């Protein structure tokens, strides 16, 4: 069977930094509240760049790291809920901007789980087709959806992008799972775009993020251990066999609770939430790139990544790097 390996990773973070103290200029909050509840110290937000710009730079870095010619890329998937426009897809914009062949290019929206979903789809597509290499990206400009007057949510999120090139190589994507529950999506969603009609031709609006933090916290602390346990059991592995856990960076307390419940030693955990906050579909992709570039991951290591987010959606992936 064809192997589907991570050939290279890249990420791109917009320059503007917004520290917890900076947020005090807009809302009533403080560094101590945000740090103790979330682990976040700062986040980056765009100034003039949009989602495809972040995705473009992350993709260039992944292509360079993979040491491939961009003409070898057979498919592009971008995980995002914050594309530049409702359509066309960010992936379509990138196909042209990166100067790729006329390849399949589309976006996936599974909120913060999007990148893990996209890896799942790309892995199956490569394994079962003539396509050999995929560019998979998680990219978000969440600042567009943030209500900057709502202290319950605005402190949590940040913008960024991460990318991988998948193709035949030394490693493999061993297994993955993805789940969804739509009955509880009221707990975390971007509020709607209103309907229009000839009689009521009101302008479009971009919805704000609305969240019930406690319910999301409860869900996430159940979803992460559950999907990790399933993937370990189905592959006859234990935590000891895994070199690094790269969880979705939504909240340090969620990561710590899941880690404790799974008996994962802290040194097997990759955490960068203090720098970026929750970058949704970009979060696991950025973390993976930083883990690789900082030498935390070596060829042959087994990694488990778990993402969770609005929907709810969640899923895990087991990678031999
Ligand atoms: C959001 C979250 C950090 C809140 O933590 P919490 O422990 O539930 O909050 P607490 O009950 O301790 O505090 C709530 C109080 O803090 C206040 N508060 C909320 N945001 C605040 C902020 N940024 N600064 C200061 N105070 C704040 C609230 O108004 C509330 O005050 P009140 O009790 O006077 O009404 C937590 O619920 C969480 O992390 N949930 C998951 C969110 C998430 O990860 N979402 C994305 C998933 S992909």
């Amino acid at each position: 069977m064809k192997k589907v390996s991570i050939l290279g990773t890249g990420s791109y973070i917009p320059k503007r930094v917004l520290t917890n103290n900076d947020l005090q200029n807009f809302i009533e909050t403080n560094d101590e509240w945000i740090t103790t509840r979330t682990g976040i110290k700062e986040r980056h937000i765009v100034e003039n760049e949009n989602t495809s710009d972040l995705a473009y730079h992350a993709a260039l870095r992944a292509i360079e790291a993979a040491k491939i010619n961009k003409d070898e890329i057979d498919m592009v998937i971008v995980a995002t809920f914050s594309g530049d426009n409702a359509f066309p897809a960010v992936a379509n914009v990138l196909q042209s901007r990166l100067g790729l062949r006329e390849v399949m290019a589309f976006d996936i929206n599974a909120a913060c789980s999007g990148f893990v979903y996209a890896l799942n789809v790309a892995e199956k597509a490569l394994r079962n087709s003539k396509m050999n290499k995929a560019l998979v990206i998680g990219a978000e400009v969440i600042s567009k959806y943030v209500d900057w007057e709502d202290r319950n949510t605005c402190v949590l999120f940040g913008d960024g992008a991460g990318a991988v090139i998948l193709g035949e190589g030394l490693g493999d994507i061993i297994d993955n799972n993805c789940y969804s529950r739509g009955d509880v999506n009221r707990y975390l969603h971007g509020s709607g775009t209103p309907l229009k009609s000839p009689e009521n031709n009101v302008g479009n609006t971009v919805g704000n993020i609305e969240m019930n933090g406690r319910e999301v916290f409860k869900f996430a602390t159940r979803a992460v251990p559950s999907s990790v346990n399933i993937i370990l059991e189905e592959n006859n592995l234990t935590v000891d066999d895994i070199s690094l856990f790269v969880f979705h960076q939504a909240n340090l307390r969620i990561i710590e609770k899941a880690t404790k419940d799974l008996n994962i030693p802290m040194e097997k955990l990759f955490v960068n939430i203090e720098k970026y906050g929750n970058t949704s579909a970009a979060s696991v992709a950025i973390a993976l790139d930083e883990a690789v570039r900082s030498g935390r991951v070596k060829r042959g290591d087994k990694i488990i990544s778990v993402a969770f987010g609005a929907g709810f959606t969640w899923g895990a992936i087991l990678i031999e790097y």
Side-chain angles (χ1 to χ4, degrees):
M1 196 167 54
K2 233 183 190 179
K3 282 188 162 193
V4 179
S5 177
I6 293 181
L7 303 180
T9 64
S11 59
Y12 178 81
I13 311 294
K15 281 203 181 60
R16 184 178 176 194
V17 179
L18 210 53
T19 64
N20 291 347
N21 287 334
D22 293 336
L23 284 170
Q24 290 181 34
N25 297 325
F26 313 104
I27 49 164
E28 212 181 305
T29 190
N30 57 77
D31 177 55
E32 200 263 333
W33 192 98
I34 302 171
T35 306
T36 53
R37 303 272 194 317
T38 71
I40 301 166
K41 298 298 281 184
E42 58 189 36
R43 71 287 296 142
H44 292 240
I45 62 165
V46 297
E47 286 171 289
N48 294 309
E49 294 167 305
N50 213 326
T51 311
S52 66
D53 299 307
L54 309 191
Y56 171 75
H57 293 296
L60 284 183
R61 289 173 185 177
I63 292 167
E64 191 189 357
K67 298 189 176 69
I68 61 158
N69 186 314
K70 60 189 181 193
D71 289 337
E72 295 173 55
I73 294 171
D74 297 305
M75 115 189 265
V76 184
I77 308 181
V78 178
T80 187
F81 70 78
S82 57
D84 305 11
N85 296 295
F87 56 86
V90 175
N92 166 271
V93 175
L94 288 186
Q95 178 273 328
S96 152
R97 191 161 166 202
L98 289 165
L100 307 185
R101 288 182 291 108
E102 295 170 357
V103 295
M104 175 193 283
F106 61 97
D107 292 357
I108 282 182
N109 177 356
C112 298
S113 311
F115 185 68
V116 168
Y117 266 62
L119 289 176
N120 191 334
V121 171
E123 175 258 318
K124 286 170 182 59
L126 293 186
R127 197 102 71 192
N128 298 299
S129 77
K130 288 185 200 151
M131 294 189 288
N132 288 315
K133 290 193 177 65
L135 167 60
V136 184
I137 300 171
E140 303 278 18
V141 175
I142 306 179
S143 50
K144 290 186 285 197
Y145 284 86
V146 167
D147 176 352
W148 289 101
E149 291 175 358
D150 176 14
R151 67 178 185 170
N152 290 297
T153 54
C154 76
V155 301
L156 302 175
F157 298 98
D159 302 334
V164 299
I165 300 286
L166 296 181
E168 275 194 276
L170 295 172
D172 203 5
I173 292 179
I174 302 171
D175 196 10
N176 42 41
N177 56 50
C178 288
Y179 305 97
S180 158
R181 266 191 64 186
D183 57 314
V184 282
N185 62 31
R186 64 187 176 281
Y187 293 136
L188 177 56
H189 68 121
S191 54
T193 39
L195 296 176
K196 283 168 85 173
S197 68
E199 294 76 30
N200 185 15
N201 192 27
V202 292
N204 290 322
T205 56
V206 172
N208 282 328
I209 293 174
E210 293 171 3
M211 183 183 76
N212 178 329
R214 293 237 164 127
E215 290 298 332
V216 175
F217 194 94
K218 275 196 276 178
F219 150 72
T221 49
R222 279 196 306 265
V224 174
S226 148
S227 50
V228 170
N229 279 328
I230 289 169
I231 216 159
L232 287 173
E233 276 165 34
E234 289 187 347
N235 292 279
N236 293 317
L237 296 171
T238 69
V239 165
D240 292 344
D241 299 306
I242 308 301
S243 302
L244 195 67
F245 290 85
V246 182
F247 295 152
H248 170 44
Q249 308 285 305
N251 180 319
L252 186 60
R253 286 194 308 160
I254 294 175
I255 297 173
E256 285 174 346
K257 169 95 174 57
T259 306
K260 195 163 161 252
D261 291 351
L262 287 159
N263 285 320
I264 298 172
M266 285 307 278
E267 61 272 17
K268 288 193 175 191
L269 206 59
F270 188 85
V271 176
N272 65 4
I273 189 169
E274 70 283 0
K275 294 189 286 183
Y276 308 127
N278 179 350
T279 56
S280 187
S283 137
V284 166
I286 295 168
L288 208 51
D289 180 48
E290 291 198 345
V292 167
R293 284 174 194 260
S294 64
R296 291 282 302 273
V297 183
K298 298 187 181 49
R299 286 288 171 198
D301 283 355
K302 288 190 179 64
I303 309 165
I304 285 184
S305 217
V306 182
F308 52 88
F312 295 128
T313 54
W314 68 105
I317 184 158
L318 170 62
I319 300 167
E320 187 177 304
Y321 180 65

